[in-house]
Coordinates of all heavy atoms in Angstrom, one line a residue:
W138 N 224.8 180.2 32.3 CA 223.4 180.7 32.1 C 222.4 179.8 32.8 O 221.5 180.3 33.4 CB 223.1 180.8 30.6 CG 221.6 180.9 30.4 CD1 220.7 180.0 29.9 CD2 220.8 182.0 30.8 NE1 219.4 180.5 29.9 CE2 219.4 181.7 30.5 CE3 221.0 183.2 31.4 CZ2 218.4 182.6 30.8 CZ3 220.0 184.1 31.7 CH2 218.7 183.8 31.4
V141 N 222.4 180.7 36.4 CA 221.8 182.0 36.6 C 220.3 181.8 36.6 O 219.5 182.3 37.4 CB 222.2 183.0 35.6 CG1 221.3 184.3 35.6 CG2 223.7 183.4 35.9
Q142 N 219.8 181.1 35.6 CA 218.4 180.9 35.4 C 217.7 180.2 36.6 O 216.5 180.5 36.9 CB 218.1 180.1 34.1 CG 216.7 180.0 33.6 CD 216.6 179.3 32.3 OE1 217.3 178.3 32.1 NE2 215.6 179.6 31.5
V145 N 217.5 183.2 39.7 CA 216.9 184.5 39.6 C 215.8 184.4 38.5 O 215.9 183.8 37.5 CB 217.9 185.6 39.2 CG1 218.6 185.3 37.9 CG2 217.3 186.9 39.3
D146 N 214.7 185.1 38.8 CA 213.6 185.3 37.8 C 214.0 186.4 36.9 O 214.0 187.5 37.3 CB 212.3 185.6 38.6 CG 211.1 185.7 37.6 OD1 211.2 185.2 36.5 OD2 210.1 186.3 38.0
I147 N 214.2 186.0 35.6 CA 214.7 187.0 34.7 C 213.9 187.0 33.4 O 213.5 185.9 33.0 CB 216.2 186.7 34.3 CG1 216.8 187.9 33.5 CG2 216.4 185.4 33.6 CD1 218.3 187.8 33.4
S148 N 213.5 188.1 32.9 CA 212.7 188.2 31.8 C 213.4 187.9 30.5 O 214.7 187.9 30.5 CB 212.0 189.6 31.6 OG 213.0 190.6 31.3
A149 N 212.7 187.7 29.4 CA 213.4 187.4 28.1 C 214.3 188.5 27.7 O 215.4 188.3 27.2 CB 212.3 187.1 27.1
E150 N 213.8 189.8 27.8 CA 214.6 190.9 27.4 C 215.9 191.1 28.2 O 216.9 191.4 27.7 CB 213.8 192.2 27.3 CG 213.1 192.6 28.6 CD 212.2 193.8 28.5 OE1 212.0 194.2 27.4 OE2 211.7 194.2 29.5
Q151 N 215.7 190.8 29.6 CA 216.9 190.8 30.4 C 217.9 189.7 30.1 O 219.1 189.9 30.0 CB 216.5 190.7 31.9 CG 215.8 191.9 32.5 CD 215.3 191.6 33.9 OE1 214.7 190.6 34.1 NE2 215.5 192.6 34.8
R152 N 217.4 188.6 29.8 CA 218.2 187.4 29.4 C 219.0 187.7 28.1 O 220.2 187.6 28.1 CB 217.3 186.2 29.1 CG 218.0 185.0 28.5 CD 216.9 184.1 27.8 NE 216.4 184.8 26.7 CZ 215.2 184.5 26.1 NH1 214.4 183.6 26.7 NH2 214.7 185.1 25.1
D153 N 218.3 188.3 27.1 CA 219.0 188.6 25.9 C 220.1 189.6 26.0 O 221.1 189.5 25.4 CB 218.0 189.0 24.8 CG 216.9 187.9 24.5 OD1 217.2 186.8 24.8 OD2 215.9 188.3 23.8
A154 N 219.8 190.6 26.8 CA 220.8 191.7 27.1 C 222.0 191.1 27.7 O 223.1 191.5 27.4 CB 220.1 192.8 27.9
A155 N 221.8 190.3 28.8 CA 223.0 189.8 29.5 C 223.8 188.9 28.6 O 225.1 189.0 28.6 CB 222.5 189.0 30.7
V156 N 223.2 188.0 27.9 CA 223.9 187.1 27.0 C 224.6 187.9 25.9 O 225.8 187.6 25.5 CB 223.0 186.0 26.4 CG1 223.8 185.1 25.5 CG2 222.5 185.1 27.6
G171 N 213.6 200.9 38.0 CA 213.0 199.6 38.4 C 212.8 198.6 37.3 O 212.0 197.6 37.5
T172 N 213.4 198.8 36.2 CA 213.2 197.9 35.1 C 214.3 196.7 35.1 O 214.3 195.9 34.2 CB 213.3 198.6 33.7 OG1 214.5 199.3 33.7 CG2 212.1 199.5 33.5
G173 N 215.1 196.7 36.1 CA 216.0 195.5 36.3 C 217.3 195.7 35.6 O 218.0 194.6 35.3
K174 N 217.8 196.9 35.5 CA 219.1 197.0 34.8 C 220.2 196.5 35.7 O 221.2 195.8 35.2 CB 219.4 198.5 34.6 CG 218.4 199.2 33.6 CD 218.8 200.6 33.2 CE 218.7 201.6 34.4 NZ 217.3 201.8 34.8
T176 N 220.0 194.0 37.8 CA 219.9 192.5 37.7 C 220.6 192.1 36.5 O 221.4 191.1 36.5 CB 218.4 192.1 37.6 OG1 217.8 192.5 38.8 CG2 218.3 190.6 37.5
I177 N 220.5 192.8 35.4 CA 221.2 192.4 34.1 C 222.7 192.5 34.3 O 223.4 191.6 33.9 CB 220.8 193.3 33.0 CG1 219.3 193.1 32.6 CG2 221.6 193.1 31.7 CD1 218.8 194.0 31.5
C180 N 223.9 189.6 36.4 CA 223.9 188.3 35.6 C 225.0 188.3 34.6 O 225.7 187.3 34.4 CB 222.5 188.1 34.9 SG 221.1 187.8 36.1
I326 N 222.2 183.3 20.7 CA 221.4 183.4 22.0 C 220.6 182.1 22.2 O 220.5 181.6 23.3 CB 220.5 184.6 21.9 CG1 221.4 185.9 22.0 CG2 219.5 184.6 23.1 CD1 220.6 187.2 21.8
T330 N 220.8 179.7 25.4 CA 219.7 179.8 26.4 C 218.6 178.7 26.1 O 217.8 178.5 26.9 CB 219.0 181.2 26.4 OG1 218.4 181.4 25.1 CG2 220.1 182.2 26.7
E332 N 216.2 179.4 24.1 CA 215.0 180.2 23.8 C 215.3 181.1 22.6 O 216.5 181.7 22.5 CB 214.6 181.0 25.0 CG 214.3 180.1 26.2 CD 213.0 179.4 26.1 OE1 212.2 179.8 25.2 OE2 212.7 178.5 26.9
R333 N 214.3 181.4 21.8 CA 214.5 182.4 20.8 C 214.5 183.8 21.4 O 213.8 184.0 22.4 CB 213.3 182.3 19.8 CG 213.3 181.0 19.0 CD 214.4 181.0 18.0 NE 214.3 182.0 17.0 CZ 215.3 182.3 16.1 NH1 216.4 181.6 16.1 NH2 215.1 183.3 15.2
P334 N 215.3 184.7 20.9 CA 215.3 186.1 21.4 C 213.9 186.7 21.4 O 213.1 186.4 20.6 CB 216.3 186.8 20.5 CG 217.1 185.7 19.9 CD 216.2 184.6 19.7
A335 N 213.7 187.7 22.3 CA 212.5 188.4 22.4 C 212.3 189.4 21.3 O 211.2 189.7 20.8 CB 212.3 189.1 23.7
T351 N 219.1 197.1 23.8 CA 217.9 196.5 24.5 C 217.2 197.6 25.2 O 217.8 198.4 26.0 CB 218.3 195.4 25.5 OG1 218.9 194.3 24.8 CG2 217.1 194.9 26.2
L352 N 215.9 197.8 25.0 CA 215.1 198.7 25.7 C 214.1 198.0 26.6 O 213.2 197.3 26.2 CB 214.2 199.6 24.7 CG 215.0 200.3 23.6 CD1 214.0 201.1 22.7 CD2 216.0 201.3 24.2
L353 N 214.4 198.1 27.9 CA 213.6 197.4 28.9 C 212.3 198.2 29.1 O 212.2 199.4 29.3 CB 214.4 197.4 30.2 CG 215.7 196.7 30.1 CD1 216.5 196.9 31.5 CD2 215.6 195.3 29.8
S354 N 211.2 197.4 29.2 CA 209.9 198.0 29.2 C 209.1 197.7 30.5 O 208.2 198.5 30.9 CB 209.0 197.6 28.0 OG 208.9 196.2 28.0
R355 N 209.4 196.6 31.2 CA 208.7 196.2 32.3 C 209.3 196.8 33.6 O 210.5 196.6 33.9 CB 208.6 194.7 32.4 CG 207.9 194.2 33.7 CD 208.0 192.7 33.8 NE 207.5 192.1 35.0 CZ 207.6 190.9 35.4 NH1 208.2 190.0 34.6 NH2 207.2 190.5 36.6
S356 N 208.5 197.4 34.4 CA 209.0 198.0 35.7 C 208.6 197.0 36.8 O 207.5 196.6 37.0 CB 208.3 199.3 36.0 OG 208.7 199.8 37.3
Y357 N 209.7 196.6 37.6 CA 209.5 195.7 38.8 C 209.3 196.6 40.1 O 209.0 196.0 41.1 CB 210.7 194.8 38.9 CG 210.9 193.9 37.8 CD1 211.6 194.3 36.6 CD2 210.4 192.6 37.7 CE1 211.8 193.5 35.6 CE2 210.6 191.8 36.7 CZ 211.3 192.2 35.6 OH 211.5 191.4 34.5

Side-chain angles (χ1 to χ4, degrees):
W138 163 250
V141 167
Q142 190 178 30
V145 63
D146 181 18
I147 190 169
S148 69
E150 56 187 7
Q151 289 175 313
R152 171 202 68 204
D153 295 348
V156 176
T172 53
K174 298 188 293 291
T176 298
I177 294 176
C180 292
I326 292 174
T330 67
E332 302 285 345
R333 294 291 295 172
T351 297
L352 303 181
L353 304 173
S354 56
R355 176 186 172 187
S356 176
Y357 297 87

